[in-house]
């Protein structure tokens, strides 16, 4: 009797199967949606753009520099035992009475530890390289202060200070020298100090001499050289707020001081690569 009953389908068997199908589909759909949500979070994270990053337009130079300062401060702090800087500088010869012969272009690399030790590599245009070891210094090679007041005091210090290359204006202070890097906090403070200066002009989006996109501001320097007045152009990476380089143009000169038309390019500097590494055989991002 049991065999007979099992062999003959019951009249309500189809409705039972029909009622179970939507339930199974609903469960499957719920699993797919849940999995999709999980996968979506992992594959497409929402990354907030740091404030000020990408800024190339502003109503005035001060506003632009403050926005770029916010961007710089939001960058990750580099870690490592050595400051690394790869730097290219071109100096145009100028003396009273006429220019020196030609222009001198140099590219160098430096690895500097906190105590001032490290090495300096001068790369010649002919492929040659000169490596000079650097000894520790009594003063060490500490960080620039990120505090605005302390940083201004350092920039204004006498010629014995580490920043003796400063010409008395913020434009030169911001142009990264060939020795050390500016941390995001220090770079932000430098830009905010520059924003307090009068007479700065936005030069607009530019491409630097290494082919990188940048945004430029300029200011006039005078009084530090009795023979010329110059316009310094600072170029900043709008994506990070960090310095790419600067150009210096002679815009006025005493009669007979130059034999070239004005404005004349006097010098430029390119910050080609910076970062921190753990040995003098390393380079960042390479």
């Amino acid at each position: 009797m049991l065999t007979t009953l099992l062999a003959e389908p019951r009249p309500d068997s189809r409705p039972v199967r029909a009622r179970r199908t939507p339930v199974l589909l609903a469960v499957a759909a719920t699993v797919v949606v849940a999995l999709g949500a999980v996968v979506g979070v992992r594959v497409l994270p929402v990354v907030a753009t740091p404030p000020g990053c990408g800024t190339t337009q502003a109503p005035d130079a001060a506003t632009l520099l403050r926005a770029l300062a916010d961007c710089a401060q939001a960058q990750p702090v580099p870690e490592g035992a050595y400051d690394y800087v790869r730097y290219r500088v071109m100096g145009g010869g100028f003396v009273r009475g006429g220019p020196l012969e030609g222009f001198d272009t140099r590219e160098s690399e430096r690895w500097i530890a906190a105590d001032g030790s490290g090495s300096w590599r001068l790369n010649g245009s002919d492929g040659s390289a000169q490596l000079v070891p650097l000894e520790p210094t009594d003063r060490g090679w500490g960080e620039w202060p990120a505090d605005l007041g302390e940083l201004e005091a350092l920039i204004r210090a006498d010629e014995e200070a580490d920043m003796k290359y400063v010409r008395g204006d913020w434009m030169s202070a911001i142009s990264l020298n060939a020795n050390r890097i500016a941390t995001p906090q220090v770079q932000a403070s430098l830009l905010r100090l520059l924003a307090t200066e009068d007479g700065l002009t936005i030069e607009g989006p530019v491409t630097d001499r290494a082919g990188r996109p940048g945004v430029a501001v300029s200011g006039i320097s005078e009084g530090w050289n009795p023979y010329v007045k110059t316009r310094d152009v600072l170029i900043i990476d709008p994506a990070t707020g960090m310095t790419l380089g600067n150009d210096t143009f002679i815009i006025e000169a005493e009669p007979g001081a130059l034999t070239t038309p004005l404005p004349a390019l006097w010098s430029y500097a390119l910050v080609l690569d910076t970062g921190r590494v753990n040995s003098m055989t390393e380079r960042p991002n390479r």
Side-chain angles (χ1 to χ4, degrees):
M1 183 180 296
L2 180 60
T3 300
T4 301
L5 289 173
L6 292 175
E8 296 179 0
R10 295 176 59 186
D12 60 347
S13 59
R14 289 183 180 178
V16 170
R17 286 196 297 271
R19 284 195 299 271
R20 293 173 60 190
T21 301
V23 175
L24 292 175
L25 289 175
V27 172
T30 302
V31 171
V32 169
V33 170
L35 288 174
V38 172
V39 171
V41 170
R42 291 177 180 171
V43 176
L44 299 173
V46 177
V47 179
T49 300
C53 290
T55 300
T56 60
Q57 303 290 339
D60 52 67
T63 302
L64 174 65
L65 289 166
R66 285 192 292 266
L68 292 169
D70 291 341
C71 177
Q73 188 161 351
Q75 301 306 308
V77 178
E79 297 181 357
Y82 294 89
D83 277 19
Y84 172 85
V85 177
R86 184 163 69 97
Y87 193 75
R88 184 185 303 156
V89 60
M90 186 280 290
F94 166 80
V95 292
R96 184 177 174 84
L100 296 174
E101 293 294 329
F103 291 89
D104 179 27
T105 302
R106 296 164 297 179
E107 186 171 313
S108 64
E109 296 176 279
R110 289 182 186 255
W111 291 261
I112 306 291
D115 63 358
S117 64
S119 64
W120 174 64
R121 178 186 176 98
L122 180 62
N123 302 315
S125 57
D126 58 356
S128 62
Q130 179 184 3
L131 191 64
V132 179
L134 302 175
E135 300 297 329
T137 65
D138 293 338
R139 302 176 63 180
W141 204 255
E143 294 278 3
W144 289 344
D147 177 80
L148 288 179
E150 293 178 11
L151 186 61
E152 181 173 4
L154 177 61
I155 293 174
R156 298 292 193 192
D158 61 23
E159 291 187 351
E160 296 302 317
D162 284 344
M163 296 179 70
K164 62 184 178 182
Y165 69 96
V166 174
R167 297 203 306 248
D169 59 15
W170 301 125
M171 196 71 66
S172 293
I174 282 190
S175 300
L176 187 69
N177 67 11
N179 296 319
R180 61 171 73 180
I181 65 172
T183 63
Q185 292 77 12
V186 169
Q187 177 73 2
S189 293
L190 284 168
L191 292 173
R192 290 180 182 127
L193 281 174
L194 183 60
T196 66
E197 290 291 291
D198 295 328
L200 296 180
T201 302
I202 299 175
E203 300 294 338
V206 297
T207 300
D208 77 356
R209 297 177 187 276
R212 301 171 296 185
V215 60
V217 296
S218 71
I220 295 175
S221 300
E222 56 183 327
W224 62 273
N225 185 304
Y227 306 123
V228 299
K229 179 188 291 187
T230 62
R231 177 175 289 278
D232 288 340
V233 181
L234 175 69
I235 304 172
I236 303 168
D237 181 356
T240 64
M242 306 304 285
T243 300
L244 294 177
N246 75 297
D247 293 346
T248 298
F249 295 91
I250 301 174
I251 57 175
E252 292 182 17
E254 279 195 356
L258 291 177
T259 58
T260 183
L262 296 177
L265 176 66
W266 191 357
S267 65
Y268 72 77
L270 290 174
V271 182
L272 297 173
D273 198 5
T274 65
R276 285 216 171 101
V277 294
N278 289 314
S279 75
M280 289 184 289
T281 61
E282 295 179 60
R283 294 173 174 85
N285 308 317
R286 282 186 280 168

